Amino acid sequence: METELLQPEFQSLPLNWNANQKDIYYICEQYFKLSLRCAKNPELLKAFQDPSKTVAFLTDGKNKDGYVWKDTENEYWKGCGMKLPEHTKVILDYDTSWPTLYFTKKGNDQETITIKESPLFVQVFSSGSSGIKTIKRELLPESDESKVILPFNVGDLTNYEAILIMPCFIPDKDMLTKVYCNDKKEAAEIILTTT
């Protein structure tokens, strides 16, 4: 199998893409750029993994004190473009492939609402003293959006602790797998990596 990489001057989004597809592409592109930069810059990786700054990296690049990272003298990291509740805790996980968002109610009632993405489904369920209840399980249309309505109001977000488990694809943490044929052990026939 042969693959061909697009040259930057030839890269463009398909004309038939809708706004959702363009948003998905932009956020993924920004997250991938961030991952590549983290692989090359240990200080950036350290800043990205700082819980007080991670949400800013994923959203608009800002926290209360302004931008959290300056790429060059005149260019700030503008974020990946996600939108998250202000006090979301983010866990960067090397073993997960799709984001999962948890809302755990503060206080004695330990109800948790889980929003779990996968390539084919968005699943929403609650768990607590009354057991586990599926709120939504939807087969996703290709490159489109899924709408999840939480069972509480915007003002009630302060009553919940939000935790986002994000996949972490930083290339220097990845592995290269080389596959050889028995009769030609000096040259790999297949080379694999996740990024």
Side-chain angles (χ1 to χ4, degrees):
M1 175 189 288
E2 292 184 28
T3 59
E4 185 175 331
L5 298 175
L6 291 175
Q7 298 303 316
E9 63 269 19
F10 298 117
Q11 291 182 4
S12 63
L13 299 179
L15 296 175
N16 63 338
W17 275 18
N18 64 36
N20 291 331
Q21 290 169 308
K22 291 175 184 175
D23 286 345
I24 292 167
Y25 180 89
Y26 176 76
I27 291 170
C28 289
E29 180 182 52
Q30 292 303 102
Y31 192 61
F32 186 71
K33 284 180 184 177
L34 176 61
S35 296
L36 290 174
R37 289 177 182 171
C38 284
K40 294 178 182 179
N41 185 336
E43 290 302 311
L44 175 61
L45 177 60
K46 185 177 176 183
F48 179 44
Q49 293 176 331
D50 179 344
S52 67
K53 296 179 180 175
T54 304
V55 170
F57 275 103
L58 296 175
T59 56
D60 62 0
K62 299 177 186 176
N63 64 14
K64 294 175 192 160
D65 302 324
Y67 285 102
V68 297
W69 185 260
K70 197 171 189 177
D71 276 339
T72 62
E73 286 186 33
N74 298 318
E75 190 177 332
Y76 289 94
W77 171 254
K78 303 278 194 315
C80 293
M82 296 181 188
K83 185 175 179 182
L84 298 169
E86 185 180 344
H87 298 291
T88 303
K89 293 178 184 174
V90 178
I91 298 171
L92 300 172
D93 186 2
Y94 296 104
D95 291 327
T96 190
S97 299
W98 299 94
T100 301
L101 181 59
Y102 299 93
F103 290 100
T104 302
K105 194 166 191 174
K106 297 175 183 175
N108 294 335
D109 182 19
Q110 289 294 311
E111 179 192 35
T112 299
I113 297 165
T114 304
I115 303 167
K116 187 175 180 77
E117 290 185 36
S118 72
L120 297 176
F121 292 95
V122 168
Q123 298 179 80
V124 183
F125 51 92
S126 65
S127 58
S129 57
S130 60
I132 298 174
K133 177 183 165 194
T134 299
I135 298 172
K136 178 180 185 172
R137 186 170 192 254
E138 177 184 33
L139 183 62
L140 291 176
E142 187 176 325
S143 299
D144 210 346
E145 72 177 49
S146 176
K147 188 172 185 177
V148 174
I149 299 176
L150 293 169
F152 53 82
N153 297 326
V154 173
D156 296 328
L157 275 171
T158 57
N159 299 326
Y160 288 83
E161 185 176 290
I163 298 174
L164 173 64
I165 309 288
M166 273 296 289
C168 192
F169 300 119
I170 296 177
D172 71 346
K173 305 295 185 210
D174 199 3
M175 119 174 40
L176 194 64
T177 301
K178 295 182 179 181
V179 181
Y180 300 85
C181 289
N182 195 36
D183 63 339
K184 195 174 177 187
K185 296 177 184 171
E186 66 281 349
E189 291 298 318
I190 301 167
I191 299 175
L192 303 171
T193 186
T194 58
T195 51

